[in-house]
Amino acid sequence: MNNDKKYKKVSIILLNYNTADDLIECINSLYNIKYPNYDIIVVDNCSNENEISKLDSYLKNKEKCIFIKNNKNTGFAGGNNLGIKYALNNKTDYLLLLNSDTLVNDDFLNILVDTVEKDKDNIAMATGKILYYPDTKKIWYGGGYINWRKYTGQHCGEGEYDNGEYNEIKNVTFSSGCLMLINVSLNFEKYLSEEYFMYYEDVDYCAKILENGYKIMYNPNAVIYHKIGSSSGGEQSAFTIRWSNRGRYIFMNKYKNKNSKSMFIFIKLKFIITRGIKFLIMCFKGEFSKAIELYYGIKDAILKDSMKI
């Protein structure tokens, strides 16, 4: 960007739940970016007192930082929505949802904003390439799509080494909530759906954008690095197993019209049967905590669905 070009305001929303050290490292990374017109909205989702004290001390004299303390843990959607509400009330041009366990390249935000600005009447969201950290040569997200036969948000290139196969700027149908630049000027619901609590709110958000006729753009030149699951214990933790399966079941029922009635029944039955098999395998392996969380995740989703009838 030229120095005389007007920069749109970007509100960067970081959600914290007992991961203050990661969040501080993320903010230090953000202070090195080239994009000048931004603020950082830190939302704490009712962390313990030591975490709050650490953040209070760190953020006390930090420029461009706003600290919002939630009085209860309202999950990924609820916590981010507090930041979104603050940003919208303060007339931002863009929302940037960014996981607090990330580090960023100094030009990532310039690239994302430029991507949207090229077609700002049609692009609702831009995202970039997300690499693992500390193994920064391995891809976590290289573009993505909603798989309506499985009701999942699929990551292209996940687990592969970055050899340039995912370097095309293109439309995608799924962006991870780890990195979402949202164009607030377009007419669609800006808040995340809080029925999920954790996981699948990003898939739902992308589905909502697409149903409104807008685009999601992937630009691989905007690069960040993700430590993966710092607040949830990792990709295969009992916490992740519970809430991801719960979220998928809710998402499935919410968007059942994406398939024929017979196909949806088949997909849903397959999901329930495979969860049962996974439950038995976990028990056989002695992974009882994971099995229990899987059971409660599905049970809670089924009960939630039955209450709508």
Side-chain angles (χ1 to χ4, degrees):
M1 289 187 175
N2 296 326
N3 288 332
D4 59 352
K5 184 173 181 179
K6 179 176 171 56
Y7 290 87
K8 297 293 182 69
K9 181 182 177 183
V10 179
S11 292
I12 302 172
I13 300 170
L14 300 176
L15 183 63
N16 179 68
Y17 180 67
N18 293 326
T19 55
D21 290 338
D22 285 326
L23 184 136
I24 289 169
E25 192 174 3
C26 178
I27 293 175
N28 289 338
S29 173
L30 287 168
Y31 276 136
N32 291 321
I33 64 175
K34 296 176 180 177
Y35 196 88
N37 190 12
Y38 69 91
D39 57 14
I40 299 172
I41 303 169
V42 175
V43 179
D44 184 84
N45 229 357
C46 201
S47 297
N48 63 53
E49 290 182 8
N50 289 337
E51 289 277 311
I52 297 292
S53 176
K54 187 179 291 187
L55 290 180
D56 273 330
S57 177
Y58 172 78
L59 295 171
K60 182 169 54 179
N61 298 313
K62 287 290 183 291
E63 293 182 359
K64 300 186 176 183
C65 279
I66 298 96
F67 191 18
I68 300 173
K69 299 172 186 177
N70 201 353
N71 58 11
K72 63 179 180 178
N73 186 349
T74 54
F76 183 85
N80 273 292
N81 282 344
L82 286 178
I84 291 171
K85 182 178 181 179
Y86 180 92
L88 294 177
N89 286 342
N90 285 274
K91 310 299 182 186
T92 194
D93 296 300
Y94 287 100
L95 301 165
L96 180 73
L97 302 191
L98 181 67
N99 273 21
S100 60
D101 58 350
T102 60
L103 301 171
V104 303
N105 276 2
D106 62 5
D107 60 352
F108 91 106
L109 192 51
N110 299 67
I111 293 167
L112 290 179
V113 173
D114 279 348
T115 300
V116 178
E117 287 291 309
K118 287 176 182 176
D119 190 12
K120 62 183 178 181
D121 292 331
N122 293 297
I123 298 174
M125 181 188 294
T127 189
K129 183 184 289 183
I130 306 173
L131 303 174
Y132 280 92
Y133 187 88
D135 190 356
T136 59
K137 296 188 181 300
K138 188 181 287 188
I139 296 170
W140 185 70
Y141 173 90
Y145 61 95
I146 300 176
N147 184 338
W148 290 113
R149 284 293 188 262
K150 293 184 176 181
Y151 287 91
T152 56
Q154 303 285 143
H155 292 211
C156 298
E158 185 173 8
E160 299 178 23
Y161 281 97
D162 188 9
N163 295 313
E165 294 94 333
Y166 303 97
N167 283 351
E168 178 187 356
I169 300 171
K170 62 180 181 180
N171 289 333
V172 294
T173 58
F174 169 65
S175 167
S176 166
C178 179
L179 177 64
M180 289 179 164
L181 182 75
I182 300 163
N183 179 2
V184 304
S185 68
L186 299 182
N187 185 26
F188 65 94
E189 175 57 57
K190 305 304 185 302
Y191 292 98
L192 298 170
S193 178
E194 295 188 20
E195 63 195 311
Y196 296 97
F197 184 76
M198 189 79 177
Y199 301 113
Y200 276 84
E201 58 281 291
D202 53 358
V203 194
D204 186 287
Y205 201 88
C206 291
K208 179 169 57 181
I209 284 173
L210 298 171
E211 287 192 337
N212 278 276
Y214 297 123
K215 299 177 184 177
I216 302 168
M217 291 298 298
Y218 164 70
N219 191 327
N221 299 308
V223 178
I224 70 166
Y225 309 92
H226 192 198
K227 298 174 187 176
I228 311 299
S230 291
S231 64
S232 63
E235 294 177 283
Q236 298 302 318
S237 69
F239 178 93
T240 300
I241 288 168
R242 175 173 185 166
W243 293 102
S244 63
N245 280 285
R246 177 186 181 276
R248 183 174 169 189
Y249 189 91
I250 293 170
F251 179 75
M252 188 182 300
N253 283 290
K254 189 172 181 178
Y255 290 93
K256 58 186 176 183
N257 64 337
K258 295 295 183 180
N259 285 285
S260 67
K261 186 174 182 179
S262 58
M263 177 57 71
F264 177 74
I265 291 171
F266 171 77
I267 293 169
K268 191 171 182 178
L269 283 174
K270 182 181 178 182
F271 174 75
I272 293 171
I273 291 168
T274 54
R275 295 320 95 172
I277 293 171
K278 285 179 180 290
F279 175 84
L280 293 174
I281 291 172
M282 287 171 182
C283 290
F284 179 77
K285 291 181 175 180
E287 297 176 333
F288 298 113
S289 62
K290 292 183 179 182
I292 290 169
E293 293 301 308
L294 173 61
Y295 167 76
Y296 279 115
I298 299 300
K299 179 183 177 182
D300 183 52
I302 291 173
L303 287 173
K304 187 177 182 66
D305 185 46
S306 66
M307 290 174 66
K308 296 179 181 178
I309 298 173

